[in-house]
Amino acid sequence: MGDSTGIEWTDRTFNPWWGCSRVSTGCKNCYADDNARRWGHDLFHRDGDRRMMSEQYWRKPRTWNREAERTGVPLRVFTASMADVFEDHPLVTAARERLWHLIEETPWLRWQLLTKRPENIATMAPWGETWPDHVWIGTTAEDQRCADERIPHLLRIKALRFLSCEPLVEQINLEPYLGSRRPDTDSRDARISWVITGGESGAKARPMNPDWARNLRDQCRQADTDFFFKQWGTWGPSGRIAIGGNRPGIMLVGDPVDNLGHRTEMIRRGKKQAGRLLDGHLHDAVPSLSPAAR
């Protein structure tokens, strides 16, 4: 229907408004800010405006809901790539209330709400202890500090919970927050059901050490948690180790791997060429879309 998204772990993207303020190191090279500025909008700071979307745009999720009901296959909808639904900003209060009603009216969509402000979820979302089955709630954990500060807030919400560890800027230990998923366990009872990770894209992107991604993969495997490797980003591994310093288009990352001082070599390839393979494999696990809408 022409509404597909370039984000690999979802089917559609819905942005009820644009704009947000930076809160952590993952925001340093904000792709949404770059995108907004290309359109002439200054939206990504605390006192900035927030761009509201049109009535026609707001009708799209209902169209997607009818499509999903007709096919019998729910559609995942990421909300929002150009904002933070749980930002405490006076200009978005009314639109956020409208979003809750829209979500309740579209049960064939799997609403993926991702925030860097999970401390606001309980007071801003209307569902209290009983969240709809078709709403997934996630937080961004790009480094250990953010993981330790944000995930406990997320774990208080009775819903399918997920993490976006992107852009991954350091090694993270998620073991305290992951839990084994038994076949007879409701996905909402698991601690974290899904982990997405990836490197940074853009002109100022920071390279991701491959060992950080491998470490998250192995933690998820041990806990039987769905793991999704989204991208390397701008910098991808060359498959070589090298000695010396950084030079144009090449950066060395991680600790030395031998007594000669060799480190892992990363090449500035661009997102498309760097690809999505981690040690030669795609990691595309996602939570089940069933049960069907109720």
Side-chain angles (χ1 to χ4, degrees):
M1 295 193 59
D3 290 314
S4 59
T5 175
I7 299 174
E8 292 83 354
W9 48 265
T10 195
D11 301 306
R12 304 285 187 270
T13 302
F14 183 66
N15 286 289
W17 62 86
W18 287 15
C20 192
S21 57
R22 288 169 167 80
V23 293
S24 60
T25 186
C27 303
K28 179 180 179 181
N29 302 317
C30 179
Y31 73 88
D33 189 9
D34 290 342
N35 188 32
R37 289 183 183 278
R38 282 194 292 270
W39 290 91
H41 301 294
D42 181 18
L43 306 171
F44 285 83
H45 52 89
R46 177 63 194 173
D47 298 322
D49 198 2
R50 298 294 180 262
R51 182 192 180 201
M52 298 296 155
M53 305 310 285
S54 68
E55 289 298 316
Q56 180 180 3
Y57 184 82
W58 274 86
R59 288 194 287 269
K60 285 189 173 188
R62 290 187 173 85
T63 301
W64 302 335
N65 189 70
R66 291 192 295 270
E67 174 191 350
E69 185 174 15
R70 184 174 64 251
T71 63
V73 180
L75 290 171
R76 296 164 298 184
V77 178
F78 172 36
T79 309
S81 65
M82 293 292 292
D84 189 325
V85 170
F86 295 98
E87 182 192 22
D88 185 10
H89 193 287
L91 294 181
V92 307
T93 302
R96 181 166 48 234
E97 291 302 313
R98 182 180 182 182
L99 175 64
W100 304 145
H101 293 296
L102 178 62
I103 288 173
E104 291 178 342
E105 294 168 1
T106 51
W108 278 91
L109 303 182
R110 297 296 176 262
W111 289 89
Q112 300 164 309
L113 307 180
L114 178 65
T115 181
K116 289 183 173 68
R117 297 165 172 86
E119 67 276 8
N120 293 336
I121 296 173
T123 56
M124 290 184 177
W127 299 301
E129 294 295 321
T130 309
W131 277 56
D133 291 340
H134 65 294
V135 180
W136 302 359
I137 186 70
T139 194
T140 303
E142 64 266 38
D143 57 24
Q144 192 68 51
R145 179 184 67 83
C146 289
D148 293 338
E149 290 180 358
R150 294 171 179 168
I151 297 175
H153 293 290
L154 186 69
L155 293 177
R156 298 188 182 104
I157 307 302
K158 181 71 170 180
L160 188 151
R161 310 177 192 97
F162 69 98
L163 300 179
S164 174
C165 300
E166 182 193 10
L168 188 62
V169 298
E170 70 176 26
Q171 183 159 297
I172 304 177
N173 178 20
L174 295 180
E175 290 181 0
Y177 312 112
L178 302 179
S180 181
R181 185 182 64 246
R182 302 187 310 273
D184 60 344
T185 300
D186 189 317
S187 62
R188 294 174 299 174
D189 293 329
R191 291 172 67 77
I192 297 298
S193 296
W194 189 29
V195 174
I196 304 160
T197 194
E200 192 169 43
S201 298
K204 299 179 181 179
R206 294 159 284 185
M208 175 178 63
N209 186 335
D211 286 341
W212 303 341
R214 294 182 182 114
N215 185 265
L216 284 184
R217 175 199 62 195
D218 294 347
Q219 290 180 55
C220 289
R221 181 180 295 159
Q222 180 66 30
D224 192 26
T225 299
D226 289 328
F227 176 74
F228 193 105
F229 185 71
K230 178 176 177 286
Q231 63 175 34
W232 283 105
T234 296
W235 296 86
S238 70
R240 299 187 294 269
I241 57 174
I243 300 176
N246 300 327
R247 51 194 186 277
I250 295 177
M251 294 188 72
L252 305 183
V253 300
D255 296 327
V257 298
D258 58 27
N259 57 10
L260 297 178
H262 287 90
R263 294 192 294 155
T264 299
E265 183 181 77
M266 303 292 287
I267 296 181
R268 190 180 188 91
R269 299 179 182 274
K271 174 182 174 179
K272 185 175 182 179
Q273 186 176 357
R276 301 184 50 229
L277 296 180
L278 176 59
D279 292 334
H281 297 282
L282 275 175
H283 295 274
D284 273 350
V286 299
S288 173
L289 294 178
S290 61
R294 299 172 182 174

